[in-house]
Coordinates of all heavy atoms in Angstrom, one line a residue:
M368 N -62.3 2.3 -4.1 CA -60.9 2.2 -4.2 C -60.5 0.9 -3.5 O -60.8 0.7 -2.3 CB -60.2 3.4 -3.5 CG -58.7 3.3 -3.6 SD -57.9 4.8 -2.8 CE -58.4 6.1 -3.9
P369 N -59.8 0.0 -4.2 CA -59.4 -1.3 -3.6 C -58.3 -1.0 -2.5 O -57.4 -0.2 -2.7 CB -58.8 -2.1 -4.7 CG -58.5 -1.1 -5.7 CD -59.3 0.1 -5.5
V370 N -58.4 -1.6 -1.3 CA -57.5 -1.5 -0.2 C -57.0 -2.8 0.2 O -57.6 -3.8 0.0 CB -58.1 -0.7 0.9 CG1 -58.4 0.8 0.5 CG2 -59.3 -1.3 1.5
D371 N -55.8 -2.8 0.8 CA -55.2 -4.0 1.4 C -55.7 -4.2 2.8 O -56.5 -3.5 3.3 CB -53.7 -4.0 1.2 CG -53.0 -2.9 2.0 OD1 -53.6 -2.3 2.9 OD2 -51.8 -2.6 1.8
E372 N -55.1 -5.2 3.5 CA -55.5 -5.5 4.8 C -55.2 -4.4 5.9 O -55.8 -4.4 6.9 CB -54.9 -6.9 5.2 CG -53.4 -6.9 5.3 CD -52.8 -7.3 3.9 OE1 -53.5 -7.5 2.9 OE2 -51.6 -7.1 3.7
Q373 N -54.3 -3.5 5.5 CA -54.0 -2.3 6.4 C -54.8 -1.1 6.0 O -54.6 0.0 6.4 CB -52.5 -2.0 6.4 CG -51.6 -2.9 7.1 CD -51.1 -4.0 6.3 OE1 -50.9 -3.8 5.1 NE2 -50.9 -5.2 6.9
E374 N -55.7 -1.3 5.0 CA -56.6 -0.2 4.6 C -55.9 0.8 3.7 O -56.3 1.9 3.5 CB -57.4 0.5 5.7 CG -58.3 -0.4 6.5 CD -59.5 -0.9 5.7 OE1 -60.1 -0.1 4.9 OE2 -59.8 -2.1 5.8
Y375 N -54.7 0.5 3.1 CA -54.0 1.3 2.2 C -54.5 1.0 0.8 O -54.8 -0.2 0.4 CB -52.5 1.0 2.2 CG -51.8 1.7 3.4 CD1 -51.8 1.2 4.6 CD2 -51.2 2.9 3.1 CE1 -51.2 1.8 5.7 CE2 -50.6 3.6 4.3 CZ -50.5 3.0 5.5 OH -49.9 3.7 6.5
P376 N -54.5 2.0 -0.1 CA -55.0 1.7 -1.5 C -54.0 0.7 -2.2 O -52.8 0.7 -1.9 CB -54.9 3.1 -2.2 CG -55.0 4.1 -1.1 CD -54.3 3.3 0.1
V377 N -54.6 -0.2 -3.0 CA -53.8 -1.2 -3.7 C -53.2 -0.6 -4.9 O -53.9 -0.4 -6.0 CB -54.6 -2.5 -4.0 CG1 -53.8 -3.5 -4.8 CG2 -55.2 -3.1 -2.7
V378 N -52.0 0.0 -4.8 CA -51.3 0.6 -5.9 C -49.8 0.5 -5.7 O -49.3 0.5 -4.5 CB -51.7 2.1 -6.0 CG1 -51.3 2.9 -4.9 CG2 -51.3 2.6 -7.4
T379 N -49.0 0.4 -6.7 CA -47.6 0.5 -6.6 C -47.1 1.9 -7.2 O -47.3 2.1 -8.4 CB -46.9 -0.6 -7.5 OG1 -47.4 -1.9 -6.9 CG2 -45.4 -0.6 -7.3
L380 N -46.5 2.6 -6.3 CA -46.0 3.9 -6.8 C -44.8 3.8 -7.6 O -43.9 3.0 -7.3 CB -45.6 4.8 -5.6 CG -46.8 5.1 -4.5 CD1 -46.3 5.8 -3.3 CD2 -47.9 5.8 -5.1
K381 N -44.7 4.5 -8.7 CA -43.5 4.6 -9.5 C -42.9 5.9 -9.3 O -43.4 6.9 -9.5 CB -43.9 4.5 -11.1 CG -44.5 3.1 -11.4 CD -44.6 3.0 -12.9 CE -45.8 3.7 -13.5 NZ -46.0 3.5 -15.0
Y382 N -41.6 5.8 -8.9 CA -40.8 7.0 -8.5 C -39.8 7.3 -9.7 O -39.3 6.4 -10.3 CB -40.0 6.7 -7.2 CG -40.8 6.8 -6.0 CD1 -41.5 5.7 -5.5 CD2 -41.0 8.0 -5.3 CE1 -42.2 5.7 -4.4 CE2 -41.8 8.1 -4.2 CZ -42.4 6.9 -3.7 OH -43.2 6.9 -2.6
L383 N -39.7 8.6 -9.9 CA -38.6 9.1 -10.9 C -37.3 9.1 -10.1 O -37.2 9.4 -9.0 CB -38.9 10.5 -11.3 CG -40.0 10.7 -12.2 CD1 -40.3 12.2 -12.6 CD2 -39.9 9.9 -13.5
P384 N -36.2 8.7 -10.9 CA -34.9 8.8 -10.3 C -34.7 10.3 -9.9 O -35.2 11.2 -10.5 CB -33.9 8.4 -11.4 CG -34.7 7.7 -12.4 CD -36.2 8.3 -12.3
P385 N -33.8 10.5 -8.8 CA -33.6 11.8 -8.3 C -33.1 12.8 -9.3 O -33.3 14.0 -9.2 CB -32.6 11.7 -7.1 CG -32.7 10.2 -6.8 CD -33.2 9.5 -8.0
D386 N -32.3 12.4 -10.2 CA -31.7 13.3 -11.2 C -32.5 13.5 -12.5 O -32.2 14.1 -13.4 CB -30.3 12.8 -11.6 CG -30.3 11.4 -12.2 OD1 -31.3 10.7 -12.0 OD2 -29.3 10.9 -12.7
E387 N -33.8 12.8 -12.5 CA -34.6 12.9 -13.8 C -35.1 14.4 -13.9 O -35.6 15.0 -12.9 CB -35.7 11.9 -13.6 CG -36.7 12.0 -14.7 CD -36.5 10.9 -15.7 OE1 -35.9 9.9 -15.4 OE2 -37.1 11.1 -16.8
D388 N -35.2 14.8 -15.1 CA -35.7 16.1 -15.5 C -37.3 16.0 -15.5 O -37.8 15.3 -16.3 CB -35.2 16.5 -16.8 CG -35.8 17.9 -17.2 OD1 -36.3 18.6 -16.4 OD2 -35.7 18.2 -18.5
T389 N -37.9 16.8 -14.6 CA -39.3 16.7 -14.4 C -40.0 17.7 -15.4 O -41.3 17.7 -15.3 CB -39.7 16.9 -13.0 OG1 -39.3 18.2 -12.6 CG2 -39.2 15.9 -12.1
T390 N -39.3 18.5 -16.2 CA -40.0 19.5 -17.0 C -40.8 18.8 -18.1 O -41.7 19.5 -18.7 CB -39.0 20.4 -17.7 OG1 -38.1 19.7 -18.4 CG2 -38.3 21.2 -16.5
Q391 N -40.6 17.6 -18.4 CA -41.4 16.9 -19.5 C -42.7 16.4 -18.9 O -43.5 15.8 -19.6 CB -40.6 15.8 -20.0 CG -40.2 14.7 -19.2 CD -39.2 13.7 -19.7 OE1 -39.1 13.6 -21.0 NE2 -38.6 12.9 -18.9
Y392 N -43.0 16.6 -17.7 CA -44.2 16.1 -17.0 C -45.0 17.2 -16.6 O -44.5 18.3 -16.2 CB -43.9 15.2 -15.8 CG -43.0 14.0 -16.1 CD1 -41.6 14.1 -15.9 CD2 -43.6 12.9 -16.6 CE1 -40.8 13.0 -16.2 CE2 -42.7 11.7 -16.9 CZ -41.4 11.9 -16.7 OH -40.5 10.8 -17.1
V393 N -46.4 17.0 -16.4 CA -47.2 17.9 -15.8 C -47.0 17.8 -14.3 O -47.3 16.7 -13.8 CB -48.7 17.7 -16.2 CG1 -49.6 18.6 -15.4 CG2 -48.9 17.8 -17.7
P394 N -46.5 18.9 -13.7 CA -46.3 18.7 -12.2 C -47.6 18.9 -11.4 O -48.3 19.8 -11.7 CB -45.2 19.8 -11.9 CG -45.5 20.8 -12.9 CD -46.1 20.2 -14.2
I395 N -47.7 18.2 -10.3 CA -48.8 18.4 -9.5 C -48.3 18.3 -8.1 O -47.7 17.3 -7.6 CB -50.0 17.3 -9.6 CG1 -50.5 17.3 -11.1 CG2 -51.1 17.6 -8.6 CD1 -51.4 16.3 -11.4
S396 N -48.5 19.3 -7.3 CA -48.0 19.4 -5.9 C -48.8 18.5 -5.0 O -50.0 18.6 -5.0 CB -48.0 20.9 -5.5 OG -47.9 21.0 -4.1
F397 N -48.2 17.7 -4.3 CA -48.8 16.9 -3.2 C -49.5 17.7 -2.2 O -50.7 17.6 -1.8 CB -47.9 15.9 -2.6 CG -48.4 15.0 -1.6 CD1 -49.6 14.3 -1.8 CD2 -47.7 14.8 -0.4 CE1 -50.1 13.4 -0.7 CE2 -48.2 13.9 0.5 CZ -49.4 13.2 0.4
D398 N -48.8 18.9 -1.8 CA -49.3 19.8 -0.8 C -50.7 20.4 -1.4 O -51.7 20.5 -0.6 CB -48.3 20.8 -0.6 CG -48.8 21.9 0.4 OD1 -49.3 21.5 1.6 OD2 -48.8 23.1 0.1

Side-chain angles (χ1 to χ4, degrees):
M368 183 178 292
V370 294
D371 63 16
E372 57 278 353
Q373 283 91 31
E374 299 294 321
Y375 279 85
V377 177
V378 66
T379 301
L380 302 177
K381 292 192 284 184
Y382 286 88
L383 287 178
D386 57 344
E387 175 103 17
D388 179 18
T389 59
T390 59
Q391 62 187 344
Y392 302 98
V393 175
I395 301 176
S396 165
F397 182 45
D398 179 55

